[in-house]
Amino acid sequence: MTSVASPRDHVPNAHPKGLERREALFAVPLVLASLVTAGLATAQALYTDTNLINFLLNVQYLEAQYHSYATSGVGLPANLLTGTGTASAATGGRQVTFTDANLAAYAKEIAADKLGHVMALRAQLGGSAIAQPAIDIGGTGANAFSALARLADNDSGGVFDPYASENNYLIGAFIIADVSVTASRGILQSLDGRGAALDVAVGIMTAQAYHAAAIRSILYARGIITFALIDAAEKFSAARDSLDGTADDDQGIAVIKGPPAESNIAPVDTSGRIFSRPPTQALNLLYLNASAVSSGGFFPAGVNGGFVRSDAN
């Protein structure tokens, strides 16, 4: 670290035991400027394409495992889970009993696409790809889905099992998909240039937007019949929004004025653009914590890669 010369070094006959008040006042801006410069340099070093794409890979591991277990009862192949950082398992997932053939087909398609996303990101990263960290996708009271449900419902004893029914599966998919889409936009805003990393990220984000819209559309259609689904989506949205700061950057699947309710298929700002979250803010939702922490929620031991700590909101 390069040392910064003190103003007293240039003052004749400076007091040997410390700065005079005038000198100290002159020194403060220099010290603050040095700290700000160091902070900006650290942030710039963190926002490399490799770190950004690896963060997206963390999120895709989560989504891919959830949909894989829900549709087939098994997780991702072991050869897709290796890499840098601490490798661990996805726990708690199990197969959903689908009675709606159309929904089952949609779910299998999403699961296949998520597998493809993991493969594409790992291929892009090569030897820099992170291993899958520990992932919690269980449906008991001790798991991440239930923790978010308790936050959404102010219920200290609540349990949410995303595998218990088709509707629960859709809510679980909705919980993760919106975070994934907004995190992907945040990553796209920071990627450098027009290279292969950007192309992979753009392709994945647009596919994710299709998935999220399909999930929200199906939930809304079912919610017209069972309004509790619209209410549940609104509560989960509010819970997510409570974790990432004061801005209103999360929305449910309807503008609630009913029943009947007005649809809200795309969660967008006033200019019709999808909301964006930088990696550190997305981690608040993934860790289920509004504070600056390095683990929790869906990633009980934290994520792998350069971005590991959430924001302090």
Side-chain angles (χ1 to χ4, degrees):
M1 180 176 178
T2 304
S3 61
V4 178
S6 167
R8 75 178 294 273
D9 293 339
H10 308 289
V11 179
N13 303 317
H15 195 285
K17 292 187 178 180
L19 296 173
E20 297 292 343
R21 179 176 181 274
R22 180 175 55 190
E23 294 173 281
L25 290 175
F26 178 62
V28 167
L30 293 179
V31 174
L32 291 177
S34 177
L35 291 173
V36 170
T37 301
L40 289 174
T42 301
Q44 289 170 350
L46 188 61
Y47 275 79
T48 65
D49 282 5
T50 296
N51 283 342
L52 289 162
I53 296 299
N54 264 323
F55 182 76
L56 184 56
L57 180 54
N58 278 299
V59 180
Q60 291 308 300
Y61 279 138
L62 170 63
E63 284 198 286
Q65 291 287 23
Y66 175 70
H67 290 286
S68 180
Y69 273 104
T71 56
S72 68
V74 297
L76 299 180
N79 67 316
L80 294 181
L81 308 181
T82 60
T84 64
T86 303
S88 194
T91 57
R94 70 178 197 274
Q95 192 167 7
V96 175
T97 299
F98 289 99
T99 58
D100 182 330
N102 290 330
L103 179 57
Y106 299 153
K108 289 178 180 177
E109 179 185 351
I110 292 173
D113 290 346
K114 295 302 177 186
L115 173 62
H117 292 170
V118 170
M119 295 172 67
L121 290 170
R122 288 175 59 88
Q124 171 61 34
L125 289 160
S128 299
I130 56 163
Q132 178 190 272
I135 293 176
D136 172 10
I137 49 173
T140 70
N143 295 116
F145 280 113
S146 292
L148 184 60
R150 289 191 289 272
L151 179 63
D153 240 349
N154 295 315
D155 181 359
S156 61
V159 175
F160 176 72
D161 181 357
Y163 311 102
S165 68
E166 291 178 332
N167 286 345
N168 280 22
Y169 159 77
L170 286 167
I171 289 290
F174 160 80
I175 288 170
I176 301 173
D178 282 3
V179 180
S180 180
V181 173
T182 55
S184 293
R185 187 185 170 202
I187 287 169
L188 289 176
Q189 290 172 311
S190 300
L191 283 172
D192 185 32
R194 298 176 179 272
L198 181 63
D199 182 62
V200 169
V202 169
I204 287 174
M205 180 187 171
T206 49
Q208 290 180 155
Y210 272 109
H211 297 157
I215 291 162
R216 293 172 69 96
S217 298
I218 298 168
L219 270 174
Y220 178 77
R222 289 186 172 213
I224 297 301
I225 301 170
T226 306
F227 193 74
L229 279 175
I230 291 177
D231 185 54
E234 180 65 23
K235 288 181 177 179
F236 276 115
S237 171
R240 289 186 308 213
D241 204 27
S242 71
L243 298 170
D244 64 354
T246 58
D248 184 7
D249 51 10
D250 209 300
Q251 295 173 358
I253 58 174
V255 180
I256 297 181
K257 295 180 180 178
E262 298 176 12
S263 67
N264 188 49
I265 302 309
V268 297
D269 62 19
T270 55
S271 62
R273 296 179 300 175
I274 293 292
F275 294 119
S276 174
R277 291 183 173 99
T280 51
Q281 194 178 60
L283 283 173
N284 289 114
L285 279 66
L286 296 171
Y287 291 160
L288 303 182
N289 200 315
S291 300
V293 297
S294 298
S295 63
F298 295 100
F299 293 95
V303 295
N304 286 325
F307 295 99
V308 297
R309 193 166 181 82
S310 58
D311 278 345
N313 295 312

